[in-house]
Amino acid sequence: MKLRRSGRLVDMTHYLLERPHQLIPLTFFAERYESAKSSISEDLAIIKQTFEQQGIGTVRTLPGAAGGVQYIPKMAAEEAEEVVAYLCEQLSRPDRLLPGGYLYMTDILGDPRIMNKIGRLYASMFADRPVDVVMTIATNGIPFAYAIANFLYVPVVIVRHDNKVTEGPMVSINYVSGSSKRIQTMVLSKRSLAEGANVLIVDDFMKAGGTINGMISLLQEFNGNVSGIGVLVESEEAKERLVDEYISLVKLSEVDVKEKRIAVKEGNYKAFL
Amino acid sequence: MKLRRSGRLVDMTHYLLERPHQLIPLTFFAERYESAKSSISEDLAIIKQTFEQQGIGTVRTLPGAAGGVQYIPKMAAEEAEEVVAYLCEQLSRPDRLLPGGYLYMTDILGDPRIMNKIGRLYASMFADRPVDVVMTIATNGIPFAYAIANFLYVPVVIVRHDNKVTEGPMVSINYVSGSSKRIQTMVLSKRSLAEGANVLIVDDFMKAGGTINGMISLLQEFNGNVSGIGVLVESEEAKERLVDEYISLVKLSEVDVKEKRIAVKEGNYKAFL
């Protein structure tokens, strides 16, 4: 359908935002709008400039016959700080404290408004690493994984604690929970992950890192590569950390159940922005 | 930041797409771009026209002091048919058949590319109903619920089969699984749902409707209202349907494990488009 520049700008912006990281040939847009490639290039320059100026991301152009344009979601340091400050403020509310020193986070994980920002922030930090899928463990990690996968435009695979589900043949491993030292099991459907995939491992909460470590072991059964590790909240309490390299937004530094006090500070994410 | 029309169109398109159904006062945009309200109105007319023409949705203007503009995600009948045809083709592949007549759907549920389309389609059908939250049951319903909630811009609440999780006080009910006739339990964290909320109940798969029925009972404990019921796939096999009014995209009409044959057809969604 023939569109004027103003209409093209609106439609191209939507088209690109819907497909982060996907390479789109210039000829696709030229045909879509019955416009010259030179006009399309001018449109893309405007979109790129606005995206960068407004902290939305960037538009990358790859030259050559196999080339095209890609929208790369990014988040500016300033907006990232706002997101983390909001999380810290939310998580330090004393009514979040549950018996055992756990924190109620379900409302945050259930809110697409904040989760989309968190997803864009992680996608921004992992933008230049090879990621074929995002892996997490049921149940609380799922919204976090989807939020990131949406902005990396890759599938999610979900590891489970049980194999009662109907997913066909499963691969299972045992792992030791870092904090409770108990032996537990995690399983992944055999057909849900291709051999040799590049995998971003994420979870909403990390104490000693036993669960993350378990996912790394499980991934080895599929000959996969760890592209990175992301956790929303890490607990500083852990004496012995089983995982070395990870990105966290928030660090829980003190939980005092008796005094109903929670101390949170920002995680290590700034080094990866 | 002062922006010219072309930059404004790109940024406003992004701003609106990021916040479906949210009412944004015209003065917000006028201040954001240091532009006259009349220019902003012209920009919005271009965006509205392009959104409608390209089947992205519409931009609704509410007049008055408390007014503003809202992006309402929509999907044209033609695109909806393409989505459903793709799902039917995917789901009829014999290698999806698992013992017991179950279908492997995890890859579809894990792919943001198709799930975003499905989410926009359901959000389109429920656009004019009051929806405060989307409710689903762990684990497979979660990606489906998030995809819809993203386009309705409301939170997700997740019902569980166990209460081993650390979510504070829970409300639990017993229900009878429609197909297996077994008594089962489902639980919901007490603080995850406000009293009297308008709730869209969704699940990835419905046989007789026992699980959906259970969620309706659970919702009654919170004095909530059912805004609607959405399932991705329904099974025609069920002799006795426990749920009357629901929207489905795909109907599984025959599963022959022995012959490795699956027959699927489109669900009842067209009546709600």
Side-chain angles (χ1 to χ4, degrees), chain B:
Chain B
M1 186 182 306
K2 198 159 176 58
L3 279 186
R4 292 176 52 189
R5 164 142 298 153
S6 52
R8 288 202 307 266
L9 287 173
V10 172
D11 188 62
M12 282 169 92
T13 298
H14 171 258
Y15 196 92
L16 289 166
L17 290 173
E18 239 194 1
R19 294 162 182 81
H21 286 273
Q22 189 167 298
L23 191 66
I24 301 149
L26 246 65
T27 46
F28 170 82
F29 286 126
E31 282 165 19
R32 185 178 174 94
Y33 308 124
E34 301 169 25
S35 302
K37 267 198 191 179
S38 56
S39 308
I40 300 296
S41 292
E42 286 167 30
D43 298 341
L44 286 166
I46 294 168
I47 294 174
K48 178 186 162 79
Q49 198 201 356
T50 311
F51 275 15
E52 290 179 355
Q53 203 172 296
Q54 303 292 96
I56 297 165
T58 186
V59 176
R60 202 182 272 167
T61 306
L62 298 175
V69 291
Q70 283 177 302
Y71 153 54
I72 312 289
K74 287 276 179 187
M75 187 175 277
E78 205 177 83
E79 193 180 355
E81 275 170 39
E82 279 172 26
V83 171
V84 173
Y86 172 82
L87 277 175
C88 285
E89 184 233 302
Q90 279 287 321
L91 289 173
S92 59
R93 277 169 36 195
D95 60 350
R96 293 196 175 274
L97 255 182
L98 295 172
Y102 285 93
L103 279 197
Y104 181 82
M105 283 171 48
T106 313
D107 57 333
I108 294 171
L109 294 167
D111 186 351
R113 279 162 281 216
I114 179 72
M115 289 315 289
N116 279 339
K117 282 184 202 281
I118 290 170
R120 183 152 58 87
L121 173 48
Y122 275 94
S124 176
M125 296 187 286
F126 291 113
D128 296 317
R129 303 201 199 180
V131 178
D132 300 319
V133 299
V134 178
M135 177 192 269
T136 193
I137 189 155
T139 309
N140 277 350
I142 302 178
F144 181 49
Y146 271 90
I148 301 171
N150 242 331
F151 286 95
L152 291 173
Y153 212 51
V154 297
V156 172
V157 303
I158 299 169
V159 176
R160 293 158 189 269
H161 285 290
D162 55 52
N163 58 2
K164 284 175 202 152
V165 285
T166 50
E167 295 203 352
M170 307 290 262
V171 175
S172 102
I173 61 140
N174 293 317
Y175 69 104
V176 179
S177 156
S179 28
S180 71
K181 303 281 182 204
R182 276 188 319 168
I183 291 187
Q184 300 193 48
T185 304
M186 56 170 75
V187 299
L188 181 61
S189 160
K190 218 174 160 186
R191 62 165 109 178
S192 72
L193 187 60
E195 283 275 310
N198 297 304
V199 178
L200 174 58
I201 296 176
V202 306
D203 204 2
D204 62 315
F205 194 82
M206 179 172 80
K207 233 168 171 172
T211 308
I212 298 274
N213 233 2
M215 284 194 269
I216 296 173
S217 306
L218 190 55
L219 184 52
Q220 282 163 356
E221 296 300 314
F222 290 82
N223 294 313
N225 312 305
V226 180
S227 306
I229 295 166
V231 297
L232 190 56
V233 180
E234 63 166 312
S235 165
E236 220 179 27
E237 231 189 304
K239 278 156 206 142
E240 199 186 349
R241 182 78 75 206
L242 300 169
V243 174
D244 290 329
E245 215 200 301
Y246 60 88
I247 303 184
S248 70
L249 291 195
V250 177
K251 195 180 269 183
L252 211 57
S253 56
E254 201 199 326
V255 176
D256 190 329
V257 183
K258 219 169 144 193
E259 300 284 330
K260 284 200 174 284
R261 202 153 39 95
I262 307 168
V264 294
K265 50 187 181 188
E266 59 177 38
N268 66 1
Y269 76 99
K270 272 189 181 157
F272 303 89
L273 265 185

Side-chain angles (χ1 to χ4, degrees), chain A residues 219-265:
Chain A
L219 184 52
Q220 283 164 355
E221 296 301 313
F222 290 82
N223 294 315
N225 312 306
V226 180
S227 307
I229 295 166
V231 297
L232 190 55
V233 180
E234 64 166 312
S235 166
E236 219 180 31
E237 231 187 304
K239 277 155 206 143
E240 200 187 346
R241 183 77 76 207
L242 300 170
V243 175
D244 290 328
E245 214 201 304
Y246 60 89
I247 302 183
S248 70
L249 291 195
V250 177
K251 194 180 271 183
L252 211 57
S253 57
E254 201 198 329
V255 176
D256 190 329
V257 183
K258 220 169 143 194
E259 301 283 331
K260 282 200 174 287
R261 202 154 40 93
I262 308 169
V264 294
K265 50 187 182 187

Side-chain angles (χ1 to χ4, degrees), chain A:
Chain A
M1 188 181 308
K2 197 157 176 64
L3 278 185
R4 292 176 52 190
R5 164 142 299 154
S6 53
R8 289 201 308 264
L9 286 173
V10 172
D11 188 64
M12 281 169 91
T13 299
H14 171 258
Y15 196 92
L16 290 166
L17 289 174
E18 240 194 359
R19 294 162 181 80
H21 285 274
Q22 189 168 299
L23 192 66
I24 301 150
L26 246 65
T27 46
F28 171 83
F29 286 125
E31 282 164 21
R32 183 177 175 92
Y33 309 124
E34 301 170 25
S35 302
K37 267 199 192 177
S38 56
S39 307
I40 299 296
S41 291
E42 285 167 31
D43 298 340
L44 286 166
I46 294 168
I47 294 173
K48 178 185 161 80
Q49 196 200 358
T50 311
F51 276 15
E52 289 179 355
Q53 203 172 297
Q54 303 292 95
I56 297 166
T58 189
V59 176
R60 202 182 274 167
T61 306
L62 298 177
V69 291
Q70 281 177 304
Y71 153 54
I72 312 291
K74 285 277 179 186
M75 188 175 278
E78 206 176 82
E79 192 181 356
E81 275 171 38
E82 279 172 27
V83 170
V84 174
Y86 171 85
L87 277 175
C88 285
E89 185 233 301
Q90 279 287 321
L91 289 173
S92 59
R93 279 171 33 197
D95 61 349
R96 293 196 175 274
L97 255 182
L98 295 172
Y102 284 94
L103 280 198
Y104 180 83
M105 284 171 48
T106 313
D107 57 332
I108 295 171
L109 294 168
D111 187 352
R113 279 163 279 216
I114 180 72
M115 290 315 289
N116 279 340
K117 282 185 201 284
I118 290 170
R120 183 152 58 89
L121 173 47
Y122 275 94
S124 176
M125 295 187 288
F126 291 113
D128 295 318
R129 303 200 199 180
V131 178
D132 299 319
V133 297
V134 178
M135 175 191 272
T136 193
I137 188 156
T139 309
N140 276 348
I142 302 178
F144 181 50
Y146 272 90
I148 301 170
N150 242 332
F151 286 95
L152 290 174
Y153 213 51
V154 297
V156 171
V157 304
I158 299 169
V159 176
R160 295 159 187 267
H161 285 291
D162 53 51
N163 59 2
K164 284 173 200 154
V165 285
T166 49
E167 297 202 353
M170 309 289 263
V171 175
S172 104
I173 61 138
N174 293 317
Y175 70 103
V176 180
S177 155
S179 27
S180 70
K181 302 283 181 206
R182 277 189 317 171
I183 291 188
Q184 300 192 49
T185 304
M186 56 169 75
V187 298
L188 181 60
S189 159
K190 218 174 160 185
R191 63 166 108 175
S192 71
L193 186 61
E195 285 275 309
N198 296 304
V199 179
L200 173 58
I201 295 176
V202 305
D203 204 0
D204 61 316
F205 194 83
M206 178 173 79
K207 235 168 170 169
T211 308
I212 298 276
N213 233 2
M215 286 195 269
I216 296 173
S217 305
L218 191 53
L219 184 52
Q220 283 164 355
E221 296 301 313
F222 290 82
N223 294 315
N225 312 306
V226 180
S227 307
I229 295 166
V231 297
L232 190 55
V233 180
E234 64 166 312
S235 166
E236 219 180 31
E237 231 187 304
K239 277 155 206 143
E240 200 187 346
R241 183 77 76 207
L242 300 170
V243 175
D244 290 328
E245 214 201 304
Y246 60 89
I247 302 183
S248 70
L249 291 195
V250 177
K251 194 180 271 183
L252 211 57
S253 57
E254 201 198 329
V255 176
D256 190 329
V257 183
K258 220 169 143 194
E259 301 283 331
K260 282 200 174 287
R261 202 154 40 93
I262 308 169
V264 294
K265 50 187 182 187
E266 59 176 39
N268 67 1
Y269 76 98
K270 273 187 179 159
F272 302 89
L273 266 184

